[in-house]
Amino acid sequence: MMIKADPMLMIPGPTPVPASVLEVLARAPIGHRSSEFKATMKSVYTRLKWIFQTEQPVFLYTASGTGAMEAALVNTVNPGELVLVLSCGVFSKRWAEIAKTLGMNVTLQEIPDGQAFSPDDVAGILKAQSGFKAVCLIQSETSTGVLNPVESLTAAIKQHSDALVFVDTVTSLAAAPFYMDQWGVDIAVSGSQKGFMTPPGLAFLAVSERAMAAHKTCKTPGYYFNFTQNEKNIESGQTPYTPAVSLIRGLDKALEMMQTDGLEAIFKRHQLTQSMAREAMRRLGLALFVESDILASPAVTSVIPPQGVSVDDIRAGLREQFGITIANGQKDLIGKIFRIGHLGAIFPRDMLTTLSALEILLYQSGYRQYPLGTAVGAAQEVMVASHD
Ligand SMILES: Cc1ncc(COP(=O)(O)O)c(C=O)c1O
C-alpha cells in the first residue's frame, strides 16, 4: 500500500472528527439502559440545550438532519393544514418536499440561488396570505452558502402571524450565532456530522412550549419520532428506543470540548476561516457566489470558477494530488460553483493548506492571472490582522 497524506474533508459535512472523539467512538458499546449510559445521555441532553441556547427540551434521534425536519412537521402539523416554506436552495426546499409528502398544504416561496430572505420579503408574503400553522426556513443554506438573518426573519414572522417558526440549523449551529429562546424560534433542527464534530447518524430537535402544545393536539404525530415518547425519557437520561450508543458517547466528548472553548470562540474561529477563504478568492479575482459578507454562511464558501476551468477538474486534482475534498454545487449549481467547507473542527492551518493547493490546481488548469501565493498571502494577512 502506498503512503498517502490523511484525507482532509473541506466540505460542509460530514466534517472532520477530532482524535479525542475518535478514541471515544472506538470504545466497545455499553447497554443503553445502564446507569453509565444514562449519565452520558443526561450530560448530552444538558449540553445540547446550551448549543441551541434554550431552556426547552432537546430531543435526540438516531437519524440524519432530514429525520429531524420530518419530526418537526409530523409532530405538530395535521395533514391539510397550511405550511409556508421560505426556500433559497436545495435544503430549505426540502421542508416543502417533506410537508407535501405528509399531506400538508404547502405554499412555497422561492428566491434565486445565492440570495437571502429579508424581513420585508417575509412581511409581504404574510400580508398576502394568512392561516399558516408553521413557517419553515433555514439559517445556513448549504447548497449556496447563504446565511439567512434568522433573528429578524423570526421577528417579522411573529409580527404578522401566529404561525410556529421552524428553523433548519443543520449547518449553522455551533458555527453562526443562534439563540433559540431569545429569538422565539419554535423548533430548530440539526445533525451530528456538521458543527458537532461527530460522524453522521444523530439528529437533534429543540422544541418550544408552543410547538409542544401544537403536538398535543396533532392527530397524526407518527411513532418513531413522536415528541411525547421522547419527552417522557429525557428526565431519566434515556431515549424511547435503542439509540446509537457509540455515537452518543463520542458526541458527549465533542460537546465537552465545545463547552471548554465556549460559543464565542467557536463562532470566531468559523468567522476567521470564512474570512480567509473569502479574501483569498477575491484576491485571486474569483467571484463569490454570495457577494455580501453579512449574508455569507460561516460554514461554507461558494465560489464561481474562472472561465474555462472545470469544477470537476479542480475537485479531482485536489483529491488526487493533496487528498483534499471540496464540494461541487448541487442540483442546478453542479459544475457552476465549488464549495469550500469550513465547518466544525476546521482551523486556519487547514484553510491555508487548502487555499495553497487550490491555487496550484487553478494554475495547472490554466488560470494564471495572479502569481502563485496570492490567495495564501491574502489569507495570511487576514490571519495576522485577526491577532492585532
Ligand atoms: C442545511 C441542511 N439541512 C438539511 C440537511 C440534510 O441533512 P442530512 O443529510 O443529515 O439528512 C443538510 C445536509 O447537508 C443541510 O446542509
Side-chain angles (χ1 to χ4, degrees), residues 338-353:
F338 60 86
R339 294 175 299 145
I340 306 170
H342 29 81
L343 178 60
I346 296 290
F347 299 88
R349 175 192 66 176
D350 308 314
M351 188 52 79
L352 289 170
T353 305

Side-chain angles (χ1 to χ4, degrees), residues 38-265:
K38 282 180 193 168
T40 302
M41 204 59 227
K42 279 186 183 176
S43 160
V44 163
Y45 280 137
T46 307
R47 288 177 162 148
L48 285 173
K49 284 181 175 207
W50 169 75
I51 288 276
F52 281 93
Q53 290 288 291
T54 183
E55 293 304 318
Q56 323 285 335
V58 181
F59 303 141
L60 180 149
Y61 298 114
T62 299
S64 72
T66 307
M69 294 169 79
E70 175 157 349
L73 286 163
V74 76
N75 269 287
T76 55
V77 183
N78 289 309
E81 287 183 322
L82 268 179
V83 173
L84 170 63
V85 175
L86 304 176
S87 167
C88 55
V90 172
F91 294 107
S92 34
K93 195 170 182 179
R94 188 166 295 177
W95 282 120
E97 291 160 9
I98 297 169
K100 272 186 202 152
T101 305
L102 295 171
M104 294 159 195
N105 192 348
V106 177
T107 296
L108 177 63
Q109 289 285 343
E110 293 184 272
I111 53 173
D113 286 335
Q115 290 184 21
F117 280 93
S118 73
D120 285 348
D121 294 336
V122 170
I125 296 163
L126 292 172
K127 276 182 199 161
Q129 193 182 353
S130 60
F132 295 111
K133 179 78 173 277
V135 178
C136 302
L137 62 154
I138 198 163
Q139 190 171 22
S140 163
E141 176 49 75
T142 322
S143 66
T144 62
V146 156
L147 186 78
N148 268 322
V150 168
E151 181 179 14
S152 58
L153 296 182
T154 303
I157 295 166
K158 292 191 172 288
Q159 194 182 341
H160 297 281
S161 159
D162 60 2
L164 297 164
V165 179
F166 297 169
V167 183
D168 173 338
T169 58
V170 172
T171 53
S172 56
L173 216 59
F178 178 79
Y179 301 96
M180 163 132 178
D181 290 357
Q182 201 178 313
W183 294 357
V185 169
D186 290 295
I187 291 183
V189 298
S190 201
S192 54
Q193 79 276 26
K194 307 289 187 178
F196 292 87
M197 312 185 299
T198 303
L202 299 174
F204 320 116
L205 184 148
V207 53
S208 75
E209 269 174 34
R210 246 161 52 96
M212 208 62 199
H215 163 67
K216 298 291 179 200
T217 63
C218 184
K219 298 184 193 84
T220 52
Y223 189 88
Y224 186 75
F225 291 129
N226 194 297
F227 286 175
T228 303
Q229 295 308 319
N230 283 274
E231 188 187 29
K232 271 191 215 161
N233 283 273
I234 286 189
E235 188 84 8
S236 59
Q238 302 207 54
T239 52
Y241 318 108
T242 313
V245 168
S246 301
L247 286 177
I248 290 168
R249 294 171 93 196
L251 172 69
D252 191 42
K253 180 72 195 171
L255 288 169
E256 180 199 312
M257 291 164 71
M258 291 160 90
Q259 284 196 312
T260 305
D261 269 12
L263 282 178
E264 288 310 315

